[in-house]
Amino acid sequence: MSKKELKTNAMRILDRMKIPYEYQTYECENFEDGIATADQLSLPHEEVYKTLVTQAKSGSHYVFVIPIEEEIDFKKAAKVVGEKSLEMIPLKNLTSITGYVRGGCTAIGMKKQFPTVIQEDAKQLEKLYVSGGKLGMQLRLSPEDLKTASRAVYGDVIRKEEK
């Protein structure tokens, strides 16, 4: 496969914005979850982020990029985006809303630009991994570059364990 055929919409956007990134491809018959992907690629879990798409009662959609081992705290996430409550969109609606499939969903280059929040802990990383816009592809870029490309903000939106 030539380099040209490998380009996803997300990669084309990064190229257009002159944002540096690296990508990795891998075999992916059936997507399990981000942890399985990280393990398959021998990536450190704390550097691999997943993209979640939510909806509010208002009908608005919001995108959250959080570490693969974490869970979204819907109350905190709703507060960050100024909504009363949020819930995950039904999986069957993911492709029609975002243009991406489960496991290939990235905050860069969705069908529409939705308000996007990256978990603030990402600021401490030099690089992070996110889906490349199709199954079997991961992008590696700086959190700031992801923030720029997805027009995101940082926020604390994950559930914290009581210690």
Side-chain angles (χ1 to χ4, degrees):
M1 199 183 263
S2 76
K3 283 237 188 252
K4 196 163 184 74
E5 291 171 30
L6 277 176
K7 294 284 180 180
T8 62
N9 193 36
M11 294 164 81
R12 283 188 287 277
I13 289 167
L14 292 170
D15 289 344
R16 210 169 29 246
M17 295 177 84
K18 295 185 176 20
I19 291 176
Y21 65 92
E22 297 163 26
Y23 69 90
Q24 277 182 285
T25 58
Y26 58 96
E27 287 300 314
C28 186
E29 294 290 318
N30 295 312
F31 178 76
E32 282 179 56
D33 60 25
I35 293 171
T37 299
D39 290 346
Q40 185 178 344
L41 295 171
S42 301
L43 301 175
H45 287 195
E46 61 278 2
E47 293 178 13
V48 183
Y49 279 57
K50 59 188 173 185
T51 303
L52 305 176
V53 184
T54 64
Q55 64 188 14
K57 294 253 186 285
S58 65
S60 296
H61 294 95
Y62 299 92
V63 177
F64 296 93
V65 183
I66 68 171
I68 56 170
E69 291 185 340
E70 302 296 340
E71 288 184 37
I72 190 168
D73 181 320
F74 287 104
K75 266 194 163 122
K76 284 162 80 174
K79 191 173 181 181
V80 167
V81 296
E83 292 281 357
K84 284 192 193 307
S85 65
L86 293 171
E87 61 187 23
M88 293 298 293
I89 62 167
L91 191 54
K92 67 181 191 321
N93 298 346
L94 182 67
T95 304
S96 64
I97 291 169
T98 66
Y100 291 123
V101 298
R102 179 174 181 256
C105 188
T106 183
I108 304 165
M110 289 189 178
K111 276 184 174 180
K112 287 171 78 177
Q113 179 65 47
F114 298 116
T116 302
V117 178
I118 300 169
Q119 173 57 31
E120 65 187 10
D121 304 349
K123 288 191 277 191
Q124 298 160 9
L125 299 173
E126 187 181 318
K127 301 280 184 182
L128 55 73
Y129 294 87
V130 293
S131 173
K134 71 177 200 172
L135 275 176
M137 181 173 288
Q138 288 286 300
L139 295 177
R140 181 175 186 256
L141 69 167
S142 78
E144 279 300 313
D145 286 341
L146 175 63
K147 180 177 174 266
T148 299
S150 60
R151 295 191 222 145
V153 297
Y154 290 114
D156 182 22
V157 296
I158 58 173
R159 206 174 282 162
K160 299 275 200 253
E161 290 299 313
E162 298 295 318
K163 300 228 182 311

